[in-house]
């Protein structure tokens, strides 16, 4: 009987989980797309689980500070990372990150904010094809990024390596600084998360949107065509948010959290609120998120290799 009790202890603990508040660590500042998705997931999942979920921001080092914190946390099911594309690409690009890919395990997708390629509203560029073709003339066009390995950087390098564009990435400290450079005419364009771009692309705004870079049009701005529709089938990049756990967390606990987040993302209250801000809720299962992460690693890895994207810091 003692042996049976030992064998079933992990499952019993998983069934009792959660017995205290859970932490979602966001490796970025408050107010961004990942932070907003984290808070929506925390609010919805806490109702399903009957336990408080606290969102804690740990920004720094391009998202690696918070990622390292979670990777070294106890695998007790009470500390999780709100992950983004960097959790897949950082170890491909950065010289050191202080964590290994194997230190973290995918749990569930939360949602995504499609990227929007934008230029100044006073620009002559009308669509993505026009922008890419124009870049091939002369010295090319400057394209603001939020640093090496950021989503805008991947957008620029994918257009360069796949479609022969001549976009010159210009790194800024943040996406907001890059956006200001577009508005001020210091660079020709950039890409921004839909939640950031939408307020500036309405009539009278300072951005002109050229395309959204996800597979579907943005629910809150359906008139904007996708890059795929404009003849760029490989340009599929979004600012996504998911949940990763430190390796060693019980599979039963991860399944339970994944199911709670899935319920939250499918609730009309949460889904409608996110969609109105330009965010597409996803949810799903552990298996579906693992498939997504594997596909992202292969796809982004191809861009890193083709463009020789390296950050020595």
């Amino acid at each position: 009987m003692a042996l049976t009790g030992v064998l079933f202890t992990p499952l019993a603990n998983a069934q009792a989980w959660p017995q205290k508040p859970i932490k979602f660590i966001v490796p970025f500042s408050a107010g961004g797309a990942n932070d907003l998705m984290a808070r929506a997931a925390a609010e919805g999942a806490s109702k399903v689980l009957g336990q408080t979920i606290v969102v804690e921001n740990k920004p720094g080092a391009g998202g690696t500070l918070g990622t390292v914190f979670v990777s070294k946390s106890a695998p007790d099911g009470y500390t999780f990372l709100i992950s983004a594309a960097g959790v897949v690409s950082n170890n491909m690009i950065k010289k050191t990150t202080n964590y290994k890919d194997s230190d973290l395990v995918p749990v569930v997708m939360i949602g995504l904010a499609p990227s929007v390629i934008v230029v100044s509203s006073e620009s002559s560029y009308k669509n993505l094809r026009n922008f890419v073709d124009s870049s091939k003339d002369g010295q090319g066009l400057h394209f603001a990024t939020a640093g090496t390995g950021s989503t805008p950087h991947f957008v620029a390098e994918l257009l360069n390596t796949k479609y022969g564009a001549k976009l010159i990435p210009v790194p800024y400290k943040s996406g907001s600084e890059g956006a200001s450079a577009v508005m001020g005419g210091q660079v020709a364009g950039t890409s921004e998360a839909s939640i950031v771009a939408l307020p500036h692309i309405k009539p009278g705004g300072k951005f002109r949107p050229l395309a959204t870079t996800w597979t579907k049009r943005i629910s809150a701005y359906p008139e904007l065509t996708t890059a795929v529709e404009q003849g760029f089938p490989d340009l599929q990049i979004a600012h996504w948010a998911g949940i990763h756990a430190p390796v060693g967390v019980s599979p039963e606990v991860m399944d339970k959290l994944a199911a709670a987040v899935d319920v939250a993302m499918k609730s009309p209250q949460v889904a409608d609120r996110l969609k109105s801000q330009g965010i597409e809720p996803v949810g799903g299962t552990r298996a579906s998120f693992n498939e997504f992460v594997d596909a992202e690693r292969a796809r982004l890895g191809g861009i890193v290799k083709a463009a020789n994207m390296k950050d020595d810091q």
Side-chain angles (χ1 to χ4, degrees):
M1 290 296 292
L3 179 58
T4 302
V6 170
L7 289 175
F8 279 89
T9 295
L11 180 57
N13 289 342
Q15 289 172 336
W17 178 91
Q19 297 177 321
K20 63 181 182 179
I22 301 162
K23 280 187 180 180
F24 281 178
I25 304 298
V26 178
F28 304 104
S29 300
N34 283 67
D35 180 69
L36 290 171
M37 285 188 266
R39 293 179 189 280
E43 178 186 339
S46 66
K47 293 177 181 177
V48 177
L49 297 171
Q51 185 57 262
T52 301
I53 300 178
V54 178
V55 176
E56 186 175 322
N57 298 86
K58 285 188 177 294
T64 58
L65 189 66
T67 302
V68 170
F69 176 84
V70 175
S71 74
K72 299 186 183 307
S73 297
D76 57 6
Y78 291 96
T79 304
F80 295 91
L81 174 71
I82 301 300
S83 51
V87 79
V88 173
S89 63
N90 279 339
N91 276 322
M92 303 175 189
I93 295 171
K94 295 181 180 293
K95 188 175 182 179
T96 57
T97 60
N98 294 321
Y99 73 91
K100 302 187 297 292
D101 291 341
S102 58
D103 291 337
L104 296 160
V105 182
V107 178
V108 66
M109 182 78 149
I110 298 174
L112 54 88
S115 180
V116 180
I117 297 175
V118 296
V119 295
S120 167
S121 58
E122 299 178 358
S123 167
S124 62
Y125 307 113
K126 303 300 182 184
N127 53 53
L128 184 56
R129 175 60 63 188
N130 175 223
F131 184 71
V132 167
D133 287 347
S134 296
S135 77
K136 297 176 183 180
D137 298 331
Q139 298 300 309
L141 297 175
H142 289 95
F143 196 87
T145 77
T148 303
S150 63
T151 300
H153 189 196
F154 271 105
V155 168
E157 296 294 11
L158 197 154
L159 285 170
N160 287 344
T161 57
K162 286 280 187 178
Y163 299 104
K166 196 186 293 184
L167 300 178
I168 305 164
V170 180
Y172 287 85
K173 291 181 179 179
S174 66
S176 59
E177 286 190 11
S180 296
V182 175
M183 294 176 185
Q186 285 83 40
V187 295
T190 189
S191 75
E192 260 298 351
S194 51
I195 187 172
V196 177
L198 286 180
H200 301 290
I201 63 179
K202 303 291 184 182
K206 294 185 177 182
F207 281 156
R208 176 181 297 129
L210 302 183
T212 176
T213 65
W214 196 236
T215 54
K216 298 178 181 178
R217 296 190 184 193
I218 301 169
S219 297
Y221 200 77
E223 56 266 49
L224 178 61
T225 57
T226 67
V228 174
E229 290 176 288
Q230 293 188 39
F232 300 87
D234 293 310
L235 186 50
Q236 300 176 22
I237 292 180
H239 300 255
W240 57 265
I243 296 176
H244 273 67
V247 67
V249 172
S250 160
E252 292 82 12
V253 165
M254 291 191 287
D255 283 337
K256 198 170 181 180
L257 178 58
V261 171
D262 183 57
V263 169
M265 292 301 104
K266 289 177 170 56
S267 71
Q269 181 181 6
V270 172
D272 291 347
R273 185 169 81 244
L274 290 178
K275 286 182 178 180
S276 69
Q277 299 178 83
I279 295 172
E280 308 296 333
V282 179
T285 63
R286 272 210 302 143
S288 63
F289 188 42
N290 269 276
E291 290 175 6
F292 176 85
V293 169
D294 287 345
E296 280 285 275
R297 181 170 283 109
R299 195 163 59 85
L300 297 181
I303 302 170
V304 169
K305 185 175 181 180
N308 193 29
M309 294 168 66
K310 295 295 178 184
D311 186 346
D312 294 330
Q313 297 183 358

